[in-house]
Amino acid sequence: MAFDRARLGRPTSFIGQLCAGARRLVPVVVTATIIAAGAAVGQRSALASDATGDRAEQQASPWGVATGAEWLDDHRRFNPILAKAGVKWLRAFQEWQTIQPNPGTWNWAPADRLVSDATANGISLLYPLAYLAPWASADGGTRAFPIKDIQYWKDYVGAIVERYRGSVKHWEIWNEFNGSFAVNGNPSIYAELVKEASTAAKRIDPSAKIGVSVANFDVNFLERAIEAGAAEHFDFICVHPYEKLDLLEAGGEIEFMAMASTLRRMLASHNLDSSLPLWISEVGAVATTEPRSEAGQSRLLTKAYVLALASGFEKIFWFEARGPAYHDQADHGLLRTDFSPRPSYEALATLIRLLGDRPTYLGWVRADADSLGFVFEGRQGHVLAAWTTSNKTIETTFQSPVLVTRTDGSEVTLEAGKPLSLSSTPQFVSKLPDAIVQQAKKNRDLPILQDVDYSKVDAVTISLGETNRGGGLQQINPQTTKVFADEGSTSRRLDFSVANNEGHYAYFAVSPQFVPWGTRRLQISATVKRLPGSPKAGFSLDYESQKGYINASYREIPSETDWQELTWTIDDANFVGQWGWHFRINAIASPSEFLVKDIRVEKRP
């Protein structure tokens, strides 16, 4: 089928599994505390020169990379390599304790080197303000609250903004405050940090931009911080959706793209500007030096940037530039430990070359139900980024000659009518027929990858078996279950043998179209049967609520051999997919296994 002959018709549903991958080690910046003699709080260096028009153009670019602590001091080696690829943003910072090791003592040298080297390479900094100086913390550490006196924080923010006001305009408040980097922290404490940082920064530099930030996609934490006083004190929002990225190897494009609309709905619900810039200030995937692993990382990177831009994110930062080897030489880096480029680096360079520093998303097209393409106005015309959303390979044709570019940058001209093989690895098509561009523009605001309009139905279902079937509901990470055949039919059973007790859970995600932000009352039903000879079996339901993931009541499966339906009604749902799933069967307390046949989610008034 040809992309330029594709019709709107019936988009396909997506059913897949969470691609198991190592969660990255979160960066902890550890730097030397050698005092730079003579550097005073109020002193402005040459780094604070006014931004130029070229600088403003540079800052409009969406292309960013983040670095962790382990390789931060190598920025002078990797910045030129990033700049060569076209990267215009770096997320990096020196800790408060490094800059101000003691009250009244300022050590600007490490931060000066970071800022000046980025400037020299044409790279703008997204600079997180973190963590605590030990002398300012009640417990003498850098991660535990409370802070002894909020004035210490205000003075620190004021000093660093004053010094770099001409070079750094975007300040991210903390790094994953909702994660492990703010012991005893809560949304109220974070709101105070945001409010005081904004006040201090804008008093010195009215053009400074303040960003709020969370680990993963923790919309609940953002909302609580807004309610606690952060409202009107931030200019952009940063998220770190590693778990959403994992879904992209299993047809999770719509879940990834729903993040932007969810954030905008949340802002609007609090009467805030729903058009505030949205940034992904960290996202990444681990790769080893094995070719297949590196190819997977490259594939995820390409999809992440394309989908983020298509859904409305303004900046995207891949974590990370060069990564420390964990085990089996595995890390998140675009560059290997010897600074040689991975395929993911080449993919990013190709993206930037084709789309340019101001890519404009025009809309989407599909050759068939298993393919997906996004059309952009790129550096030298229209560019289609396309791939399949399943393990299938399909062929598509074009009505006129096109230029096909692979993620490694290689190119081939494809004559009219000659088939292009599409797989799960994205490819780029330039010199597009105008019919494709016009179709993309017509599709732009229509639902993507939906077999029906789930916003208009009352229930979504999934039947579990050798091949799961359903619409608007998917099983995440099916490896925690295994197929059970019985009298010509199949269902699934939890696999208690899976490591780390994961086999006691079955995970599910609901279409964001069915449960958009603000959907609270739901009924979740499971059709189950106790395995023969099991003395006792049952499970509870864990689900994503307005207070985060919580546990609903335990239900025992009756002793009868027939299929039984167990039901939970909840009125505080908040299915945003913070960890990539919305609810799960929790059989951690069950001594015996059971079968699961169907799951149904219904809306309740």
Side-chain angles (χ1 to χ4, degrees), residues 35-283:
I35 309 303
V41 176
Q43 178 183 0
R44 287 189 63 193
S45 70
L47 298 167
S49 58
D50 291 335
T52 64
D54 289 341
R55 184 74 167 175
E57 181 70 17
Q58 167 189 320
Q59 292 194 344
S61 171
W63 311 109
V65 172
T67 183
E70 293 91 339
W71 298 114
L72 175 62
D73 288 343
D74 280 322
H75 60 79
R76 284 170 290 183
R77 293 188 65 184
F78 63 65
N79 274 346
I81 302 174
L82 297 180
K84 184 178 180 181
V87 171
K88 293 297 197 302
W89 283 88
L90 178 69
R91 180 182 185 263
F93 65 103
Q94 295 287 353
E95 291 191 31
W96 180 4
Q97 66 170 328
T98 300
I99 292 174
Q100 192 184 14
N102 296 292
T105 303
W106 298 87
N107 173 28
W108 293 110
D112 281 357
R113 289 194 296 269
L114 177 64
V115 175
S116 62
D117 187 70
T119 301
N121 283 283
I123 293 175
S124 297
L125 281 177
L126 169 60
Y127 200 115
L129 295 171
Y131 299 102
L132 293 173
W135 53 266
S137 171
D139 82 336
T142 62
R143 306 292 194 271
F145 285 84
I147 190 171
K148 288 180 180 177
D149 188 336
I150 196 64
Q151 187 63 45
Y152 297 149
W153 171 253
K154 293 158 65 175
D155 291 344
Y156 160 63
V157 173
I160 195 170
V161 172
E162 171 66 30
R163 189 168 185 87
Y164 303 123
R165 59 184 294 182
S167 300
V168 180
K169 293 295 180 181
H170 293 81
W171 307 91
E172 184 178 349
I173 307 306
W174 216 259
N175 174 58
E176 301 191 347
F177 192 94
N178 60 317
S180 59
F181 298 114
V183 178
N184 302 321
N186 58 48
S188 295
I189 292 175
Y190 186 65
E192 183 180 27
L193 293 180
V194 171
K195 179 179 178 179
E196 297 299 346
S198 178
T199 301
K202 291 177 184 291
R203 182 181 297 119
I204 293 168
D205 180 10
S207 64
K209 304 298 182 184
I210 300 298
V212 292
S213 173
V214 288
N216 52 75
F217 191 60
D218 195 348
V219 184
N220 283 313
F221 184 89
L222 287 172
E223 187 175 31
R224 299 290 87 79
I226 287 170
E227 293 169 344
E232 309 292 353
H233 293 289
F234 59 91
D235 305 291
F236 60 103
I237 293 176
C238 299
V239 295
H240 297 176
Y242 288 86
E243 291 74 24
K244 301 284 190 182
L245 182 71
D246 290 337
L247 295 171
L248 296 185
E249 288 286 61
E253 284 86 353
I254 194 168
E255 181 74 17
F256 193 95
M257 295 187 72
M259 289 189 293
S261 60
T262 295
L263 289 169
R264 299 204 185 285
R265 286 174 182 264
M266 184 272 291
L267 289 169
S269 72
H270 292 278
N271 298 315
L272 297 175
D273 181 5
S274 62
S275 66
L276 281 177
L278 307 177
W279 294 24
I280 295 177
S281 60
E282 267 193 44
V283 70

Side-chain angles (χ1 to χ4, degrees), residues 274-600:
S274 62
S275 66
L276 281 177
L278 307 177
W279 294 24
I280 295 177
S281 60
E282 267 193 44
V283 70
V286 168
T288 67
T289 55
E290 193 271 324
R292 183 175 180 180
S293 177
E294 291 193 330
Q297 183 193 52
S298 173
R299 185 166 56 245
L300 284 172
L301 177 144
T302 305
K303 292 179 180 179
Y305 279 94
V306 169
L307 294 170
L309 290 171
S311 59
F313 281 92
E314 186 175 285
K315 316 285 184 198
I316 306 97
F317 294 75
W318 185 262
F319 182 84
E320 59 187 323
R322 180 195 182 199
Y326 303 140
H327 57 84
D328 300 327
Q329 293 295 302
D331 59 67
H332 292 79
L334 296 171
L335 308 174
R336 303 183 186 98
T337 54
D338 63 358
F339 286 91
S340 61
R342 276 193 163 125
S344 54
Y345 172 87
E346 302 295 349
L348 180 55
T350 300
L351 266 169
I352 297 171
R353 176 171 64 85
L354 293 175
L355 298 188
D357 286 332
R358 289 181 178 267
T360 300
Y361 172 61
L362 300 181
W364 60 270
V365 291
R366 289 183 6 214
D368 73 356
D370 290 301
S371 69
L372 182 61
F374 298 92
V375 178
F376 295 86
E377 181 68 45
R379 191 184 297 277
Q380 295 181 335
H382 300 122
V383 179
L384 167 71
W387 61 85
T388 61
T389 58
S390 67
N391 292 325
K392 296 180 181 178
T393 297
I394 68 166
E395 290 189 340
T396 186
T397 60
F398 300 86
Q399 293 179 344
S400 59
V402 295
L403 180 66
V404 178
T405 305
R406 300 180 183 90
T407 55
D408 64 4
S410 61
E411 297 179 341
V412 61
T413 297
L414 193 69
E415 297 301 325
K418 186 175 180 180
L420 170 66
S421 293
L422 285 180
S423 69
S424 61
T425 298
Q427 297 183 75
F428 307 98
V429 183
S430 306
K431 301 181 180 179
L432 289 172
D434 186 63
I436 293 180
V437 177
Q438 296 307 315
Q439 186 67 67
K441 291 179 178 179
K442 291 179 181 178
N443 292 355
R444 191 182 193 282
D445 297 321
L446 296 176
I448 300 175
L449 290 175
Q450 300 285 294
D451 54 358
V452 297
D453 184 351
Y454 290 113
S455 66
K456 298 180 180 179
V457 302
D458 295 324
V460 292
T461 62
I462 184 171
S463 295
L464 305 183
E466 185 170 357
T467 299
N468 289 344
R469 303 185 315 278
L473 182 59
Q474 69 172 133
Q475 183 184 6
I476 302 296
N477 196 17
Q479 302 96 300
T480 66
T481 62
K482 54 188 176 183
V483 176
F484 185 89
D486 181 32
E487 298 180 354
S489 64
T490 60
S491 56
R492 283 187 174 264
R493 61 188 290 186
L494 297 177
D495 186 357
F496 285 5
S497 68
V498 175
N500 300 319
N501 286 324
E502 281 298 299
H504 289 79
Y505 305 104
Y507 297 87
F508 299 92
V510 186
S511 166
Q513 203 179 30
F514 181 72
V515 285
W517 173 266
T519 303
R520 302 295 181 224
R521 289 187 55 81
L522 296 170
Q523 180 174 291
I524 300 174
S525 303
T527 303
V528 295
K529 182 168 67 173
R530 187 188 301 186
L531 281 171
S534 296
K536 184 178 181 181
F539 59 92
S540 57
L541 188 80
D542 297 337
Y543 69 94
E544 196 171 16
S545 76
Q546 292 173 277
K547 296 180 179 179
Y549 289 100
I550 61 176
N551 179 260
S553 57
Y554 177 88
R555 300 276 198 276
E556 184 174 349
I557 302 172
S559 59
E560 289 84 2
T561 58
D562 295 334
W563 291 99
Q564 309 290 327
E565 184 173 88
L566 305 182
T567 299
W568 291 260
T569 300
I570 57 179
D571 58 10
D572 60 344
N574 194 38
F575 285 5
V576 299
Q578 174 184 344
W579 292 105
W581 54 275
H582 297 142
F583 67 92
R584 68 182 180 183
I585 288 173
N586 180 348
I588 198 71
S590 180
S592 302
E593 295 181 83
F594 51 88
L595 305 179
V596 184
K597 184 178 181 181
D598 299 298
I599 303 290
R600 180 182 180 88

